[in-house]
Amino acid sequence: MIKNMLRGSTMLLLALAPLTVPTVAVATPMAGVPVVSGARVAAVVLPLADAVDQLTIVDESRTGYDHTKFKHWNSGLDPADGCNTRAEALLDEAIEAPVVAAGCKLSGGLWHSYYDAAEVTDPAKLDIDHLVPLAESWDSGSSAWDAKRREAYANDQDVAASLVPVTARANRAKADKDPAEWMPPLPDAHCRYISEWTATKLRWGLSSDQAEADALKVCETTVVHYTPAP
């Protein structure tokens, strides 16, 4: 069964989950929050301009921010594997799998850093970038979350775009900047980066400032896919 939801000028077609699922949540793009919790949530697909328009525009504040308020890296999706979130993200994103030694020590392998098109064979030379940095998330609404939700954000492996293996030099050049202040050095990466930035903000119900929102509306044919976080 399919329902059509008309919101403004945007028509979203959301498919209900299979009959084996007892309850179904219909995702809404507003603030990135599902209508019903505790059930499967449909992905939302929007043209970039429409997705950016879903972001709440507010002035940002970093008052009270400290990275220690976001517990990371934790024990990851599989506590029994001995790998923390960083290591699990590296394993998930490897083009060629590394060797995993005792204590989840990784060696070898191959990764593609899409920010700068670098090929990396040493996992120690990679950073796992929070696509929307922890400080930026604080500015945009995570300051109001409890510690458990901030930990979930900092270790979000349910969506590949949330945690990105990139070269240390690219990640450190980015630091805590938003797209109005920094973009990947590779021009071909810009539209992907903007799409995933917007998707991450909508997934977690984070806001945007005006300069940031203006900087996001530069890829006319880009589509944003996101699933609201639990």
Side-chain angles (χ1 to χ4, degrees), residues 43-203:
V44 180
V45 182
L46 291 170
L48 176 63
D50 291 344
V52 174
D53 285 343
Q54 301 301 321
L55 296 171
T56 301
I57 306 300
V58 298
D59 292 334
E60 295 181 346
S61 172
R62 197 158 295 184
T63 302
Y65 170 72
D66 190 310
H67 74 278
T68 61
K69 293 180 178 179
F70 295 78
K71 181 181 178 182
H72 69 293
W73 305 108
N74 66 17
S75 58
L77 294 178
D78 181 7
D81 68 5
C83 298
N84 64 14
T85 301
R86 170 188 156 80
E88 287 186 355
L90 286 171
L91 290 168
D92 286 345
E93 296 296 324
I95 298 170
E96 296 178 7
V99 174
V100 184
C104 201
K105 182 176 176 58
L106 308 183
S107 60
L110 176 66
W111 292 265
H112 176 76
S113 170
Y114 93 79
Y115 291 0
D116 50 10
E119 301 293 324
V120 182
T121 57
D122 181 356
K125 294 183 178 179
L126 287 164
D127 284 354
I128 299 298
D129 181 36
H130 292 93
L131 192 94
V132 174
L134 302 181
E136 170 68 22
S137 80
W138 182 271
D139 301 348
S140 308
S142 69
S143 58
W145 298 348
D146 62 19
K148 183 176 180 180
R149 188 157 183 83
R150 286 198 288 267
E151 180 180 355
Y153 178 83
N155 297 273
D156 183 12
Q157 294 186 72
D158 291 331
V159 175
S162 296
L163 302 175
V164 190
V166 296
T167 58
R169 64 178 177 271
N171 189 42
R172 289 161 199 181
K174 171 184 172 177
D176 296 329
K177 302 179 182 72
D178 69 28
E181 304 164 312
W182 184 90
M183 290 287 286
L186 182 69
D188 287 349
H190 288 187
C191 289
R192 174 181 171 182
Y193 184 76
I194 285 170
S195 173
E196 293 181 350
W197 179 282
T198 305
T200 302
K201 286 229 159 172
L202 289 172
R203 170 170 169 75

